[in-house]
Amino acid sequence: MVSGSGCDESSGPRLMPALLIKMINKSRGKILGVLALFLVMVWYSIYREDSFYFPVQENKTVCPIGEVERKAAQLIGNYTRDRPLFLQLKDYFWVRTPSLYELPYGIKGSEDVLLRLLSVTSYSLPESIQSLKCRRCVVVGNGHRLRNSSMGDTINTYDVVIRLNNAPVHGYEQDVGSKTTMRLFYPESAHFDPQAENNPNTLLVLVPFKPVDFQWMEAILSDRKRVRKGFWKQPPLIWDANPEQVRILNPYYMEVTAAKLLSLPMKQPRKVKQKPTTGLLAITLALHFCDLVHIAGFGYPDSANKKQTIHYYEQITLKSMAASEHNISHEAVAIKRMLELGLVKNLTYF
Ligand SMILES: *[C@@H]1O[C@H](CO)[C@@H](O)[C@H](O)[C@H]1NC(C)=O
Ligand SMILES: *[C@@H]1O[C@H](CO)[C@@H](O)[C@H](O)[C@H]1NC(C)=O
Ligand SMILES: *[C@@H]1O[C@H](CO)[C@@H](O)[C@H](O)[C@H]1NC(C)=O
Ligand SMILES: *[C@@H]1O[C@H](CO)[C@@H](O)[C@H](O)[C@H]1NC(C)=O
Ligand SMILES: *[C@@H]1O[C@H](CO)[C@@H](O)[C@H](O)[C@H]1NC(C)=O
């Protein structure tokens, strides 16, 4: 009896697999159908969640991870985040990829002075930016739209605040904020006192347009004889900055701005020389290391408006731009495209 019941008990499990296989064979179609339905549901819920998080939120808690990369890749051919932001000695010595272009798009012909310059400057992105889970960046242009904008507190909430040239902060805090994470400039646009309008840890990022720009910086940091020729405006001869704060922007970003965003030829005839503005360059740079890019103070007055000053801090008008090597209407088209794509967002009217 004991063995009999044991036999009965064991026959159940032995029968089960056979029964199951039979059942599966009979209703294979149904099971596949249920499986397919399940997969569709999983896919749909992931898809829903994605589209739910994609819209840019005003709100600091939501980070649109991957959105800038995805959208920038639609606009910028061969978009990559692999290039270093700043030039470093290491790249020059060991990678030895010869640059195709001269400044402002490459370092061809400027290797020797750059070697001396890079031995005294730094190249790292500070740990405070490196370690951020979400890099929320704002590029603050110098445009007149910032005047009376009351955007200061908003601008100060971003993790990374990028400013341009010698734009002042003191006396304008309410409209432009007071935090400066990075300031992009070239010798002619350098403030005479690098401490005056920056924070103690602001990165001072030299944008090299021409070989003498490297010479200027090298002469100052190594306290050698200053170069005076080759500038369109006398740059500072004394410039008291900590070399630890100084970075040299990788000309790659100027190349991307010109070639990919403005479709400019890399080799232009001497007569028509067009270069991107520091402002558009700063947006391009932000697109390569930020998770979110907002812009404020971009845009120029209507060309019919001859009296409107173009900057928030000084009394110059559009006339002064006429002689420059920038094409601001062309750049406006590029920025509009980025806004339409939702790649960047404007905090002031553009
Ligand atoms: C941020 O957004 C989340 C979800 O969209 C919301 O629950 C939260 O209240 C918002 N926080 C602020 C400070 O607006
Ligand atoms: C991307 O890179 C390839 C190889 O270097 C090049 O042939 C191609 O023209 C590039 N595309 C764009 C849009 O720059
Ligand atoms: C800014 O505000 C001040 C004071 O309210 C006013 O006098 C000035 O005209 C305004 N400037 C502009 C450009 O709106
Ligand atoms: C500026 O760019 C536009 C195209 O957006 C072009 O039509 C115009 O000729 C350019 N201006 C100059 C001075 O090159
Ligand atoms: C951004 O610019 C558009 C025009 O291009 C304007 O309608 C919109 O109000 C601007 N956004 C802000 C916050 O000013």
Side-chain angles (χ1 to χ4, degrees):
M1 284 303 281
V2 172
S3 74
S5 77
C7 198
D8 271 347
E9 267 169 25
S10 65
S11 76
R14 226 189 296 131
L15 262 171
M16 275 303 273
L19 226 122
L20 219 95
I21 287 166
K22 225 169 141 187
M23 267 169 62
I24 288 173
N25 276 342
K26 253 173 110 180
S27 50
R28 188 183 283 162
K30 267 189 212 154
I31 288 172
L32 281 179
V34 167
L35 203 74
L37 192 70
F38 176 71
L39 286 177
V40 166
M41 279 165 68
V42 167
W43 170 79
Y44 184 63
S45 68
I46 290 171
Y47 172 79
R48 275 287 300 268
E49 214 150 323
D50 269 359
S51 58
F52 184 75
Y53 282 112
F54 273 151
V56 177
Q57 300 275 331
E58 300 291 335
N59 171 327
K60 198 157 184 170
T61 58
V62 180
C63 185
I65 297 273
E67 182 174 294
V68 163
E69 281 117 305
R70 190 170 53 81
K71 289 183 173 172
Q74 290 172 33
L75 202 64
I76 299 172
N78 292 342
Y79 172 80
T80 172
R81 287 187 169 229
D82 293 345
R83 300 297 186 99
L85 301 187
F86 310 118
L87 289 184
Q88 35 184 313
L89 215 46
K90 168 171 134 338
D91 294 335
Y92 181 80
F93 277 128
W94 291 297
V95 183
R96 286 187 185 277
T97 37
S99 200
L100 284 176
Y101 309 113
E102 294 171 8
L103 284 170
Y105 305 128
I107 59 154
K108 193 172 158 188
S110 302
E111 291 89 349
D112 291 347
V113 60
L114 194 54
L115 207 60
R116 294 197 300 274
L117 178 54
L118 292 179
S119 65
V120 292
T121 59
S122 199
Y123 58 81
S124 62
L125 192 62
E127 188 54 31
S128 53
I129 303 175
Q130 199 80 54
S131 62
L132 286 168
K133 287 215 176 66
C134 189
R135 294 182 189 159
R136 301 171 72 258
C137 302
V138 62
V139 183
V140 183
N142 298 347
H144 69 113
R145 297 256 180 225
L146 279 169
R147 216 177 287 148
N148 288 3
S149 68
S150 302
M151 288 306 292
D153 286 343
T154 305
I155 288 170
N156 284 341
T157 64
Y158 287 81
D159 303 302
V160 176
V161 180
I162 304 175
R163 293 185 200 273
L164 311 170
N165 301 328
N166 57 353
V169 165
H170 290 308
Y172 302 91
E173 289 90 345
Q174 204 178 344
D175 293 333
V176 307
S178 55
K179 175 175 177 174
T180 309
T181 318
M182 279 185 202
R183 186 183 285 272
L184 270 55
F185 69 97
Y186 48 92
E188 292 93 336
S189 80
H191 197 285
F192 279 74
D193 180 0
Q195 319 293 336
E197 302 293 345
N198 295 306
N199 310 131
N201 58 354
T202 300
L203 293 187
L204 304 168
V205 182
L206 176 72
V207 177
F209 278 93
K210 51 198 181 306
V212 284
D213 296 353
F214 287 146
Q215 287 169 25
W216 171 79
M217 182 66 93
E218 199 264 329
I220 282 178
L221 295 181
S222 312
D223 200 20
R224 302 218 258 191
K225 192 174 186 308
R226 307 294 195 263
V227 261
R228 287 164 183 271
K229 285 206 176 116
F231 302 102
W232 54 265
K233 181 183 159 211
Q234 179 62 60
L237 296 174
I238 296 168
W239 193 74
D240 186 18
N242 178 355
E244 293 278 305
Q245 271 176 278
V246 176
R247 302 286 183 279
I248 313 298
L249 187 73
N250 188 344
Y252 170 75
Y253 298 99
M254 186 69 92
E255 181 199 329
V256 170
T257 311
K260 307 286 175 65
L261 290 173
L262 298 174
S263 310
L264 294 176
M266 288 293 96
K267 295 214 168 85
Q268 301 175 44
R270 280 200 183 278
K271 266 175 109 181
V272 272
K273 277 232 176 87
Q274 277 193 32
K275 295 171 192 140
T277 60
T278 322
L280 189 64
L281 172 71
I283 298 176
T284 309
L285 178 67
L287 292 178
H288 286 80
F289 80 98
C290 299
D291 294 306
L292 178 148
V293 180
H294 290 176
I295 62 173
F298 274 79
Y300 291 90
D302 193 346
S303 58
N305 196 346
K306 300 257 187 300
K307 291 235 173 89
Q308 174 67 62
T309 55
I310 60 177
H311 290 154
Y312 68 82
Y313 55 93
E314 61 183 357
Q315 300 300 315
I316 62 168
T317 60
L318 264 185
K319 247 197 285 180
S320 67
M321 289 300 289
S324 78
E325 294 174 327
H326 305 306
N327 184 335
I328 58 175
S329 57
H330 192 181
E331 291 201 0
V333 174
I335 295 175
K336 275 256 149 64
R337 221 168 46 210
M338 294 191 239
L339 290 170
E340 279 160 12
L341 198 62
L343 175 56
V344 303
K345 205 182 113 187
N346 54 319
L347 297 180
T348 57
Y349 189 88
F350 182 78

